[in-house]
Each structure stands twice: as C-alpha cells, then as structure tokens.
Amino acid sequence: MAEAQLYAKVSNKHRARSTSALLEPLLAKGFPAHIAQKALVATGQKTIEDAVKWLHSHCNDPSLDDPIPQEYALYLCPTGRLHSRLQDFWKESKRQCGKNRAHEVFPHITLCDFFTCEDQKVELLYDVLKRVGDSFSQSFPPSISLTLHASPSYLGFFIDDSQANVLKRFAAAFSSEVSALADCHVKPSLKQFHLTLAHRFYPHHQKTLEELAKCINPGEPCQWVAALYSRDMRFVYYQRLRALFQYKPQNIDELMISAGDLIYVDPAQQRDVSEGWVVGTSHRTGCRGFLPENYTERAHEADTWVKHREYVFDTASRSFPKEPNAKLNGEAHNLSTSRSVTNVLSLQNTALRRAVLVMRHGERVDQVFGKSWLQQCLTADGKYYRADLNFPSSLPRQKDSMKLFECDPPLSCCGIFQSRLIGEALLDQEVTVSYVYSSPALRCVQTAQHVLQGLKLNQKVRIRVEPGLFEWTKWEASRAIPNFMTVAELLEASYNIDTSYRAHFPLSSLVPSESYEDYVSRSSAVIKQITSACPSKGKGVILIVGHGSSLPSLTRALVGLPSRDSGDFAQMVRKIPSLGMCFCEEQKEENKWQMVNPPVKTLTHGANAAFDWRNTILEE
C-alpha cells in the first residue's frame, strides 16, 4: 500500500528533459534519460564516473525503472574546531551512555524539513541555494551564540533569537523559491532553532551527558555551511546495517554483500526469518535477499544519505575574537578553563571500580548436529564414540544415564576452541578476572573453564555454579528442569569448581515454564546478589557465563534499564551469537553501573558443512 501511494504521488508529474552537462554523456552511452537522471541524483550529481559506477552496480536493481524521487533536506552544519568538539561528544556519549536518537545524524541545525523533488529538477535546488546564499552572505551572523539546554529526554544548544531570525529568513527564502521554481512543497523549519546533542536517552544518563556537554566550547572557531542532503524515501523507517565482511550467496534468495556495504532492513519483515539471518536491500546494488546477521553491525541513518551541494558562509572577515561563554538553561558557564571530553573521561576512569562481563556459552553440540546428536554417537551397547571431529572426544561421567546429556548438552570442539580463544584475547588485553560465576548448564561450566584456561587462571580462580543464572525455563524443550551434573561429578571430571560457594538460588527453586516476569525478577535478584557478594575494593572483573537470555536480563537490570517486552526480548536473544558479550563498569562516585564496549572484539566465523567425499567426488 505504501509503495502504491508513492507511485500515485509521482506518476502524474511532468518529466522534462534536463540539459545537464553530466546528463548528455550518459545519454550518449545509451542509458535512458530517466535512469541516467536517477543515477546522477543518487550520486549527488558530482561526476560522470560516479553515475556510471552506480548504474553498473544497480544493473539488477528491480526498482531501477520506478518513478520514485528522492527526499531532500537543507541543514546548517558547523565545520572546523567546533565540529571536531561535537564529534568528540558524539563518540564519548555513545561510549558512556549508549546510542541515542541524536547519533543517527551528524551535528546540524534543520533549516528545511525533508521534501520531494523530481530528478530532472534537482539542479534548480542547487541554483536556488547559491542565489539565496549570496543574498544572505552579508547579513549572516559573524558568529552564532549557542545556549545549552537540558531536559530528561533532550540535550542541545538553542540559537539566540536575533540570529535565529536571520536563519529563518534564509530558510524561508530558499523554501519559497524552490516551491515556485521546482514545483516542490517545501516547509522551512518553524521550531526553535537548535543543534541537538542527545535525544531520547534514559533519564539516569542525563547527568553524565550534561557533564560531557559542558566540555564543549560553543565559541570555538567555526564556519557554518548550508548543505543539501537527499535520502531514499522508500527506506525512511528502515534500520541500517553495515557489512563487516564479504558474503557470497550459497542460495538464489541470498544477497551478495561486500565489506562496507549498507543494508536497509525492515524490522517488521524479520519475524519469520530463520535464526541468525536477516532480509534486507542493498544500498549499493538495490538488490534484496537474505544475509547472515553476524556479518553486519548497526549503521547510522545518515550513512545512507547523499550530500549534493553546500553554501559556505564566509564570516571570517567579520568575526571578532571574544571570551566564549556557554549557558545551561540560562545559567552562564565560563568555558575558558573548561576540560576537554578526554580529560573528563580520564577523571571518570579513575573512579571506575568493578566491572561485570556477561558472556553467552560457546557453540553447543546440538547446535551443530541437532537434538538427536547423542544417537549419532552411541554404539549398539550404549558406549560413546566420536562420530565427527566436532563432537567432544569424550563425555564427562554421570552416575545416571548418558541420556541426561540430551537435555544438558556439552560444548562442541569448536565451542571449546572459541572459549579458549576468548580467554586468550582477554589475557592479551590484560583483563583481570577476580570472580567467575556460571549457570549450572554443562556448556556454561565448560565455557567458563576454557576461558579461564585461555586467561591462564584455571588454577587460581574457581567457578561458582549459580542455578539462578540458568536461562528462561519456558524455553526448555523438555518442559522440565534438566538434571545437571552435580558438583561432585564436575569435580571428578576435573572442572575447577568452588565447593565453598553457596548458591543464592538452589536448584530446587527453578520452576519449569516460569513466566517472563518471574524470569526477569530472578535475573534482577541474582545479579544484585552477585555484585553485592563480590568486594568493591580493587578493579577485578566479575565474569558471568550464562545463556543468550542472560545478556539483556542481567545487564539491563544492573544498569537500571526497564525490561523489554517478552516478544521483543525473544527477537533480541536470537541475535546473540555464541560467546556474545556485554560489559558493565561501576561508577564509584555515583555507585551506578554503565554499559560500555567489551574489552575484546566479537568472534565471527562461517559455517562448515559435513563433507562426504564418496558422494561428492565419485558421484557421476
């Protein structure tokens, strides 16, 4: 329905041929006029080479002939040292408080909201921007006064009224001329002119964000630029992903991606997609298909925008140096002695005490070979043998039947390797682990053991088995709590278990098919009990090895975030890979925890299917 509305919106527009100097060479190469214009607009009408490259990349784009124009917006953007300080704030606020809505776009003041313009009339926008810019070049403010304003959901600089009025007249003049000449419906921004620093953040982050914002000197040398950007109107409400690695399709419905590619993903279309995969549309090629989610990372909305033209307001000759002052909600703050964001960071780091590293277990054997993996490894008389090199070389001894491993599967050999590799990476980063807690599931205990081996701490730090860390019991296929290996059995199998530890949640307290609310409550209680039980002196890391569900349920409770809806929770957990990690640091002066980047990178690898040489090589 949305696509039909877009087609109806543009189907009755008159299509006049442009005489652009860039268009003629493309027509001479045999490209149809409407497609050539589309390529020029998609690349910002910069060079013929860019347009030709775009056309070749989009040769299989099913929407190439679609008459859907781009959307355009006019922004006033800072450059120079002020821009650098704002980028420092962007980076540090994201590191300390996580991503908020402001991170999606670069620092800017909105002059005109997004509007559509036919491809063949885009050059008129450039002409109007140049003409209106020239007419305001002398009246444009030599400097723009910025006042810092804060609220529980917004942080940013407000523009002085007298200067904002000049900007509003400039925006109105641009809007009026474009509307008349290019037959566009352009609305100049009527709101209080502002430069957003943070938006839609959690209220408990407000104090930290304000402290970082006070380090920005708004009087830093700056040249302001009016810039015209475009975006693809079909994907306004989509998420953006960036490919980290190349992926070559194995099936016809999969998407070819190269490192750095940007992908549009509609969250509403992901519910029926297989675990670990997403369906998206490539920004580079326009093609659509499935791709492995762990080959990507989240990108920003503006990463897919195209910059067309800019008008630089040269105010250097009219500027006079003065002692800059910023104001927070009207209260003056002299910034001549203000600390940089980096200095604030260094001061905050000295206040950091403990840290918590929550980790999902490594690859489990049934993840590779299915729920019937044990049947593949048992002889007629019930003895275990290794049917594939990724099966463990042996299984720990249990006093009861080996059938118990079906509900409490061990790690695969790759899972063991993964765990040890993570431990070695933590050792390389000089991470000091002081305490280790593990879910009673065998795969978690094994992961903890091999991470400690990689850290060379397996003889120094013992594993505390905590049943309260077991995953949401509703997800247990057997609808019953598994019969986990006992501490005595784990010790007999040479696992370094802390026998003096008394669990906060005994096994008997785990209830089959518990409600989501009960699981969230259990997770919140156990993380608080664990952090309370570990001394606050020193800077050791508390390592918690649990399940995919452990990462959001433990860390969100620790940093004070509300729990997610159960449906969203399930969708999020399925995206967490083996050895996925979350890292939280404690702020001593506030006695609060904040989520930051883990000390090591993620572990990504591809699938490796079983190989039958006889049926493959000798097959006729």
Side-chain angles (χ1 to χ4, degrees):
M1 184 179 295
E3 286 191 7
Q5 291 174 348
L6 287 176
Y7 281 100
K9 187 175 181 180
V10 301
S11 60
N12 60 351
K13 293 281 189 179
H14 174 65
R15 292 174 165 271
R17 280 185 57 139
S18 170
T19 57
S20 165
L22 295 176
L23 180 60
E24 294 303 329
L26 296 177
L27 298 179
K29 291 178 181 291
F31 293 109
H34 68 287
I35 292 180
Q37 287 170 336
K38 191 170 192 175
L40 288 171
V41 167
T43 55
Q45 298 218 29
K46 294 181 176 66
T47 66
I48 297 172
E49 290 74 15
D50 287 346
V52 170
K53 183 178 179 181
W54 186 92
L55 287 164
H56 286 313
S57 297
H58 285 257
C59 61
N60 295 317
D61 183 351
S63 66
L64 193 58
D65 284 314
D66 292 353
I68 299 177
Q70 296 281 302
E71 285 188 325
Y72 299 83
L74 185 64
Y75 291 150
L76 187 67
C77 304
T79 63
R81 282 165 55 180
L82 177 58
H83 178 262
S84 298
R85 298 295 176 268
L86 292 169
Q87 291 289 13
D88 289 343
F89 173 87
W90 249 245
K91 181 178 179 181
E92 193 55 34
S93 64
K94 186 176 181 180
R95 192 196 76 82
Q96 293 199 35
C97 303
K99 187 177 180 181
N100 64 66
R101 190 69 182 86
H103 290 120
E104 292 289 343
V105 185
F106 42 80
H108 70 279
I109 299 169
T110 301
L111 297 177
C112 296
D113 294 320
F114 276 100
F115 60 93
T116 59
C117 179
E118 295 174 81
D119 293 345
Q120 66 272 24
K121 296 181 180 179
V122 171
E123 285 192 38
L124 294 173
L125 306 185
Y126 308 161
D127 296 338
V128 171
L129 177 59
K130 174 68 166 60
R131 186 164 55 253
V132 175
D134 286 342
S135 67
F136 276 82
S137 61
Q138 294 303 309
S139 59
F140 192 86
S143 64
I144 295 180
S145 299
L146 304 174
T147 302
L148 192 60
H149 176 83
S151 73
S153 62
Y154 176 84
L155 181 70
F157 289 117
F158 279 8
I159 314 303
D160 178 77
D161 286 343
S162 62
Q163 297 167 343
N165 288 334
V166 177
L167 302 183
K168 288 181 179 180
R169 291 198 301 272
F170 171 78
F174 175 85
S175 303
S176 177
E177 285 205 37
V178 167
S179 298
L181 295 175
D183 191 24
C184 301
H185 183 58
V186 186
K187 287 184 177 181
S189 180
L190 300 177
K191 300 178 182 177
Q192 164 79 53
F193 271 27
H194 59 276
L195 192 157
T196 299
L197 297 176
H199 183 40
R200 294 184 187 174
F201 50 84
Y202 288 103
H204 69 273
H205 286 149
Q206 181 180 350
K207 183 178 179 181
T208 301
L209 291 169
E210 284 184 26
E211 290 300 316
L212 292 174
K214 289 176 183 178
C215 299
I216 302 172
N217 181 350
E220 290 277 13
C222 173
Q223 195 167 44
W224 292 91
V225 173
L228 186 68
Y229 286 87
S230 72
R231 68 183 182 186
D232 193 321
M233 63 192 302
R234 297 172 299 167
F235 304 113
V236 171
Y237 301 107
Y238 283 47
Q239 292 178 349
R240 277 80 170 166
L241 300 179
R242 178 180 287 103
L244 298 171
F245 314 99
Q246 182 187 48
Y247 180 75
K248 294 182 178 180
Q250 310 295 313
N251 297 289
I252 194 172
D253 60 352
E254 295 176 2
L255 182 65
M256 165 77 80
I257 57 174
S258 299
D261 279 1
L262 292 162
I263 314 296
Y264 297 107
V265 173
D266 183 359
Q269 297 177 354
Q270 307 308 313
R271 297 190 180 276
D272 298 326
V273 178
S274 301
E275 182 176 355
W277 292 80
V278 294
V279 58
T281 301
S282 170
H283 174 71
R284 180 175 61 86
T285 66
C287 297
R288 186 173 184 271
F290 293 93
L291 65 149
E293 188 172 20
N294 64 348
Y295 276 50
T296 66
E297 65 178 0
R298 286 292 296 272
H300 298 139
E301 178 183 343
D303 291 343
T304 56
W305 294 2
V306 177
K307 186 177 183 179
H308 286 254
R309 296 293 186 273
E310 63 181 28
Y311 186 91
V312 180
F313 290 99
D314 184 8
T315 58
S317 60
R318 296 183 285 124
S319 298
F320 298 93
K322 62 179 181 178
E323 183 66 25
N325 287 283
K327 296 181 180 180
L328 176 59
N329 293 355
E331 180 183 352
H333 294 269
N334 192 318
L335 293 174
S336 60
T337 57
S338 66
R339 301 174 307 220
S340 69
V341 173
T342 304
N343 289 337
V344 171
L345 172 61
S346 63
L347 288 172
Q348 289 179 342
N349 277 337
T350 61
L352 293 175
R353 294 189 292 175
R354 299 170 295 169
V356 173
L357 179 60
V358 184
M359 180 185 301
R360 189 191 178 193
H361 56 77
E363 179 185 87
R364 46 194 278 179
V365 70
D366 61 334
Q367 183 180 337
V368 183
F369 300 103
K371 296 298 181 182
S372 60
W373 67 272
L374 191 59
Q375 300 174 20
Q376 305 172 42
C377 300
L378 293 181
T379 61
D381 55 355
K383 293 182 179 180
Y384 175 83
Y385 76 99
R386 195 179 190 182
D388 185 282
L389 289 180
N390 201 18
F391 281 111
S393 57
S394 62
L395 293 178
R397 183 178 301 175
Q398 286 206 55
K399 63 180 180 180
D400 296 323
S401 170
M402 271 200 298
K403 293 281 188 182
L404 296 178
F405 287 120
E406 289 184 341
C407 296
D408 186 23
L411 294 179
S412 66
C413 278
C414 283
I416 293 172
F417 170 75
Q418 291 172 334
S419 305
R420 198 166 298 164
L421 189 64
I422 291 294
E424 292 170 355
L426 291 170
L427 180 64
D428 289 341
Q429 295 299 315
E430 300 181 352
V431 175
T432 302
V433 172
S434 301
Y435 305 93
V436 178
Y437 289 82
S438 171
S439 160
L442 177 58
R443 55 193 180 275
C444 297
V445 175
Q446 289 179 318
T447 299
Q449 176 93 345
H450 291 291
V451 168
L452 285 173
Q453 287 180 2
L455 279 163
K456 298 182 179 179
L457 292 175
N458 49 308
Q459 300 301 320
K460 298 179 181 178
V461 180
R462 296 184 178 277
I463 302 169
R464 298 177 173 181
V465 178
E466 174 53 64
L469 292 173
F470 188 56
E471 66 182 344
W472 186 11
T473 60
K474 181 181 178 180
W475 287 347
E476 275 301 299
S478 63
R479 300 299 180 187
I481 305 300
N483 288 316
F484 301 114
M485 292 182 66
T486 65
V487 170
E489 289 171 335
L490 292 170
L491 288 170
E492 184 181 351
S494 301
Y495 293 106
N496 197 21
I497 306 301
D498 186 348
T499 56
S500 65
Y501 177 69
R502 295 295 174 263
H504 298 294
F505 283 81
L507 277 172
S508 58
S509 68
L510 296 180
V511 179
S513 299
E514 67 186 329
S515 69
Y516 177 62
E517 290 72 19
D518 287 343
Y519 172 67
V520 169
S521 176
R522 167 162 64 91
S523 299
S524 177
V526 75
I527 189 62
K528 290 177 182 177
Q529 289 168 342
I530 287 175
T531 53
S532 297
C534 298
S536 58
K537 295 180 180 180
K539 294 184 180 180
V541 171
I542 304 169
L543 173 62
I544 299 177
V545 182
H547 308 265
S549 60
S550 305
L551 272 67
S553 62
L554 296 177
T555 59
R556 290 181 72 88
L558 187 60
V559 301
L561 298 181
S563 60
R564 290 180 176 268
D565 175 82
S566 60
D568 294 337
F569 178 79
Q571 289 292 322
M572 176 178 53
V573 169
R574 63 191 288 231
K575 299 177 181 178
I576 300 173
S578 300
L579 276 304
M581 290 176 282
C582 285
F583 193 59
C584 299
E585 290 178 337
E586 186 182 30
Q587 292 283 327
K588 184 175 183 179
E589 56 187 12
E590 295 183 1
N591 196 28
K592 291 183 179 181
W593 296 81
Q594 63 176 3
M595 201 177 305
V596 298
N597 289 330
V600 298
K601 301 293 185 181
T602 56
L603 175 63
T604 305
H605 55 77
N608 198 52
F611 175 63
D612 187 328
W613 64 270
R614 188 183 304 278
N615 291 337
T616 303
I617 305 301
L618 300 182
E619 184 179 12
E620 296 296 333

